[in-house]
Amino acid sequence: MDDLRFGAIIRAIRIRKRLRQKDLARLADVSPATVSRVERGHLDIVNLANIRAVAKALDVRVDLMPLWRAGDLDRLLNSRHSALHEQVARSFAKRPEWLAEPEVSFAIYGERGVIDILAWHSVRQMLLVIELKTDIADVNELVGTLDRKRRLAWRVARDRGWEVGEGTSVSAWLIVAEGHTNRRRIQAHQTMLRAVLPLDGRSMAGWLRDPSRPVGCLSFWPNSHPENVSGGRAPVRRVSAVPPPRT
């Protein structure tokens, strides 16, 4: 949608609600001049937070849709995810004590999804659910999704013919691609995340050698861009920890 049409829609809804520009400005906590600029389609001189505030005051949701001339953005994002997947898979390929399966889909009692990597340590009878994220968007949804996969993991593994039971221990590992934006979003929610996923990458290296207890881990994986996939090994011990909160 172009800027002029967006402004026209905001104006039409405002009039339908019988609001003046200054009324809408008060509800959105912005200046009347900002409302005027939005309605005239001058969005390039209004910051995104104010545009969202004006829209929200009218019960309008604003979704961004990036368009790129160079090609398919979904393919670009998928290539990053594939690159991260490849590096983690390489690490597990060097651990013969672990059986790791990629892209494990499930449909159990109406709950559907895909586990990025499901790993099984038969000696310790330990399942490991690995969630890979190249971009962090909604942290609450992410934690809920990971918890659901962890809860259903033993059923998923049993359906694949693995010798697991209802009492099998299940661990979770959230691996996030390195990046300033991802670190900032994790930092903003670190109290909640560390409560659910207390271990970091350095601790996880030792745990993988002897998974004697169920754990939750969050770590950043470096060099997770597609052009780095053909490079050397990305060892687990290089994964950096989530920084502790400052006091």
Side-chain angles (χ1 to χ4, degrees), residues 79-98:
S79 67
R80 288 193 63 204
H81 188 273
S82 297
L84 180 58
H85 203 296
E86 175 68 18
Q87 292 192 8
V88 176
R90 284 182 182 179
S91 177
F92 271 87
K94 298 178 183 297
R95 299 181 181 275
E97 67 275 19
W98 283 94

Side-chain angles (χ1 to χ4, degrees), residues 83 87 178 221-226 228-229 234 238:
Q87 292 192 8
E178 182 63 79
W221 197 279
N223 304 322
S224 53
H225 290 279
N228 295 322
V229 174
R238 291 180 54 201

Side-chain angles (χ1 to χ4, degrees), residues 13-26:
I13 296 175
R14 174 180 63 79
I15 293 174
R16 173 66 66 87
K17 288 179 173 285
R18 299 186 178 183
L19 296 172
R20 296 168 296 179
Q21 285 189 347
K22 65 179 183 180
D23 298 329
L24 178 55
R26 177 174 48 80

Side-chain angles (χ1 to χ4, degrees), residues 5 35 56 91 145 162 188 205 224:
R5 180 170 174 79
V35 174
K56 184 177 180 181
S91 177
T145 298
W162 297 359
S224 53

Side-chain angles (χ1 to χ4, degrees), residues 62-80:
V62 175
D63 292 329
L64 298 181
M65 181 179 295
L67 301 176
W68 186 36
R69 286 184 177 182
D72 186 356
L73 283 174
D74 288 337
R75 182 174 297 177
L76 174 64
L77 294 175
N78 288 339
S79 67
R80 288 193 63 204

